[in-house]
Amino acid sequence: MKIIPLKEGNFSASKTKDFSLLTEENWNTAAGIKMSVQPFLIVTQNDYILLDAGIGWKNDNADSVVSEILAKENIHPDQVTKLLLSHLHKDHIEGAVRQTEEGYEAVFPNAVIYIQKRELDFAMENKGNPSFDFEVLEQLIQLPNIVWMNEDKGQITDEISYEVVGGHTPYMQVFWIREHEETVFYGADDLPQASYLQYHLAYKSDFDGRKAMELRLKWEKEARENHWKILLYHDLQKNIIEV
């Protein structure tokens, strides 16, 4: 399979979850938490699989950064067949839709979108939480190609499996993609940076930090034993690691 990191940039995130692009000029003075926003496209024999959708960041020419990276790979957004959403925080879904003069439309119009229904219910019970962009979320869930997921674990295809694990959010889900004896693991915000494997901590930014920490210990062991490639959504420098 081919793994294409779709890094939109490194950002500082304020307490109200506003994202500002980090540059050499503001790196040392920017307030907030520093993180990358980095979806991934996995190209298999059967699918073009997008893991989360980013924030839809645009470059100086007002072009989508993700679309620009895809174009360099000779891939059009129409070719994406599946969009797997780990959870519904704004920095993972805003890149799935765009606003036009006629209203919102899907950025990846041919992609089937997989959303955990219980994660949506949790979001809707937390109106006012700045981690969510409810305008975008309400537009997203009106798109036609949605598969509502309700099971705790299962197979999407022979190559794609998922599990609802919680941790960062109550119903966050993680994904494995397997093809030709190669395994890619996406732990989303339970395992967003390589340092989370170095320092075994429970983070207050997680809904259940202790559970997320325990999951990381479990995944690290399994990754070593099974030679997983781990995708890092928020790491400032790295995108894929093997432990």
Side-chain angles (χ1 to χ4, degrees):
M1 71 183 84
K2 184 174 184 180
I3 306 170
I4 305 172
L6 302 172
K7 184 169 182 173
E8 296 186 279
N10 291 330
F11 299 87
S12 63
S14 69
K15 290 183 178 180
T16 55
K17 305 302 180 182
D18 294 314
F19 285 77
S20 300
L21 185 67
L22 290 170
T23 65
E24 290 183 5
E25 288 74 22
N26 68 8
W27 186 276
N28 294 322
T29 58
I33 300 172
K34 292 182 174 68
M35 66 179 75
S36 74
V37 176
Q38 186 165 240
F40 292 86
L41 185 73
I42 312 296
V43 182
T44 68
Q45 185 173 344
N46 298 314
D47 279 300
Y48 287 71
I49 305 160
L50 183 60
L51 293 164
D52 284 334
I55 57 177
W57 196 259
K58 294 178 173 57
N59 59 27
D60 292 338
N61 298 321
D63 296 323
S64 162
V65 172
V66 165
S67 295
E68 192 175 61
I69 298 171
L70 291 176
K72 291 178 180 177
E73 298 285 342
N74 295 313
I75 297 171
H76 193 276
D78 289 358
Q79 293 175 254
V80 176
T81 56
K82 291 178 173 62
L83 169 53
L84 312 181
L85 295 178
S86 62
H87 63 299
L88 298 174
H89 283 170
K90 63 172 65 172
D91 54 316
H92 292 255
I93 71 162
E94 287 184 331
V97 297
R98 61 178 165 231
Q99 192 169 14
T100 69
E101 292 181 357
E102 289 75 34
Y104 282 89
E105 66 180 16
V107 173
F108 309 97
N110 296 321
V112 179
I113 304 171
Y114 293 81
I115 302 176
Q116 178 57 232
K117 179 62 168 61
R118 289 168 290 176
E119 178 71 10
L120 175 64
D121 295 339
F122 170 75
M124 291 306 185
E125 291 168 0
N126 284 271
K127 288 286 183 74
N129 185 328
S131 292
F132 299 102
D133 183 330
F134 289 98
E135 180 179 359
V136 169
L137 182 55
E138 286 168 3
Q139 295 297 324
L140 172 69
I141 62 177
Q142 293 178 41
L143 295 178
N145 300 329
I146 294 178
V147 172
W148 293 107
M149 305 166 74
N150 290 289
E151 302 299 323
D152 289 337
K153 63 170 63 176
Q155 295 286 137
I156 293 174
T157 68
D158 289 342
E159 293 83 20
I160 306 168
S161 59
Y162 71 92
E163 182 176 353
V164 177
V165 295
H168 183 64
T169 65
Y171 299 101
M172 201 193 78
Q173 53 192 6
V174 299
F175 300 95
W176 292 262
I177 301 171
R178 298 179 174 91
E179 185 180 57
H180 303 315
E181 300 182 358
E182 184 179 14
T183 299
V184 168
F185 173 68
Y186 178 54
D189 283 10
D190 280 346
L191 182 44
Q193 299 182 5
S195 62
Y196 279 52
L197 294 176
Q198 183 178 0
Y199 305 106
H200 299 300
L201 303 173
Y203 292 93
K204 293 181 179 179
S205 56
D206 290 331
F207 180 81
D208 187 340
R210 179 167 291 278
K211 183 175 185 181
M213 179 184 67
E214 292 169 351
L215 286 166
R216 286 190 290 272
L217 290 167
K218 172 177 174 285
W219 292 332
E220 182 178 11
K221 180 176 183 293
E222 293 177 358
R224 289 185 189 280
E225 293 173 350
N226 298 288
H227 309 291
W228 295 352
K229 292 181 178 177
I230 299 172
L231 308 183
L232 303 171
Y233 194 84
H234 285 309
D235 198 288
L236 291 166
Q237 297 178 321
K238 300 175 182 179
N239 44 49
I240 306 164
I241 61 169
E242 294 186 58
V243 294

